[in-house]
Amino acid sequence: DAGVIQSPRHEVTEMGQEVTLRCKPISGHNSLFWYRQTMMRGLELLIYFNNNVPIDDSGMPEDRFSAKMPNASFSTLKIQPSEPRDSAVYFCASSIAGGLTDTQYFGPGTRLTVL
Amino acid sequence: GESVGLHLPTLSVQEGDNSIINCAYSNSASDYFIWYKQESGKGPQFIIDIRSNMDKRQGQRVTVLLNKTVKHLSLQIAATQPGDSAVYFCARGGNKLTFGTGTQLKVEL
């Protein structure tokens, strides 16, 4: 299995621009998670989906952030407009069913730099 | 509120020695914990987990101990190797993983 796939691996953009991060979960996994990692705040859960439906988006920082999962094999995290404080590594993870003891498998991350 | 954290930000060990990484938690509704390893430039990788009905669980070269009385868990790595160099996170399990701050393990040759 190829594992969780994320693109791009690196993104550099200017403040105010729209940024779209992409994720392909492991085939057969029904839950997908978006995380953000910074030195100051560590790993934070932004949002997660079960069967393509957003279950909890309480971690989404503000309205500038939005996430979609149009089908079982694809999800996007969009930031519009982007700000320098959004600079971080964004990880996507997937698990079989999102249950209490289901292991989450992480992708390699997208390193976002907003100038 | 619930929290999970680690005791030391950095741990240096000699190659071949055993490593012990500690983690404390509080007020957890979930006694299910996972240890993740994150190498530079990569995403967190599952190492081992432990559930509330267990005090100890062993994997290949790794052992996790859970002390529910004092709300503490540890990850022990036997015969530490250079490839073990990474940041190690304990996480409280559930639909929403809550990660600790991480411990950087440095293996000295």
Side-chain angles (χ1 to χ4, degrees):
Chain A
D1 197 317
V4 175
I5 299 173
Q6 292 186 247
S7 65
R9 292 295 311 276
H10 302 272
E11 177 78 34
V12 180
T13 190
E14 293 186 344
M15 182 175 63
Q17 296 297 307
E18 177 179 294
V19 175
T20 299
L21 311 181
R22 297 172 175 79
C23 175
K24 176 179 169 55
I26 294 173
S27 178
H29 282 193
N30 295 318
S31 295
L32 182 141
F33 307 79
W34 282 102
Y35 290 87
R36 178 173 66 177
Q37 186 175 41
T38 61
M39 288 295 292
M40 291 296 293
R41 300 174 68 90
L43 267 164
E44 303 174 280
L45 177 67
L46 300 177
I47 186 173
Y48 78 93
F49 297 82
N50 274 350
N51 296 315
N52 313 337
V53 176
I55 302 301
D56 186 340
D57 64 354
S58 60
M60 295 286 264
E62 49 197 270
D63 292 345
R64 297 186 297 107
F65 286 68
S66 62
K68 295 181 179 180
M69 192 165 185
N71 57 62
S73 59
F74 183 67
S75 177
T76 60
L77 178 67
K78 184 176 294 186
I79 308 173
Q80 166 63 17
S82 59
E83 297 181 2
R85 60 192 169 121
D86 301 330
S87 297
V89 181
Y90 291 81
F91 289 103
C92 176
S94 69
S95 69
I96 289 177
L100 180 68
T101 58
D102 289 335
T103 300
Q104 293 185 22
Y105 296 87
F106 284 75
T110 295
R111 180 173 295 276
L112 173 64
T113 301
V114 183
L115 303 175
Chain B
E2 299 180 356
S3 66
V4 60
L6 287 165
H7 289 174
L8 294 174
T10 303
L11 175 66
S12 294
V13 298
Q14 293 289 323
E15 181 181 5
D17 287 351
N18 296 334
S19 304
I20 300 177
I21 302 172
N22 296 300
C23 184
Y25 64 96
S26 63
N27 301 326
S28 176
S30 166
D31 282 330
Y32 172 66
F33 298 91
I34 313 106
W35 282 97
Y36 280 87
K37 172 187 180 183
Q38 186 176 21
E39 296 175 274
S40 180
K42 298 183 179 180
Q45 177 186 8
F46 172 88
I47 301 175
I48 191 169
D49 60 1
I50 189 166
R51 305 180 188 188
S52 60
N53 60 347
M54 305 172 72
D55 297 322
K56 178 181 181 179
R57 191 172 187 202
Q58 289 184 294
Q60 186 177 13
R61 285 200 305 118
V62 295
T63 300
V64 56
L65 300 176
L66 175 62
N67 186 328
K68 294 181 289 294
T69 301
V70 296
K71 298 186 184 303
H72 178 273
L73 70 159
S74 64
L75 177 70
Q76 301 178 8
I77 304 173
T80 310
Q81 303 170 358
D84 295 326
S85 294
V87 177
Y88 289 81
F89 295 93
C90 64
R92 176 174 53 81
N95 285 344
K96 299 174 66 171
L97 280 180
T98 303
F99 283 84
T101 53
T103 290
Q104 173 81 53
L105 177 64
K106 297 183 178 180
V107 181
E108 300 173 349
L109 304 178

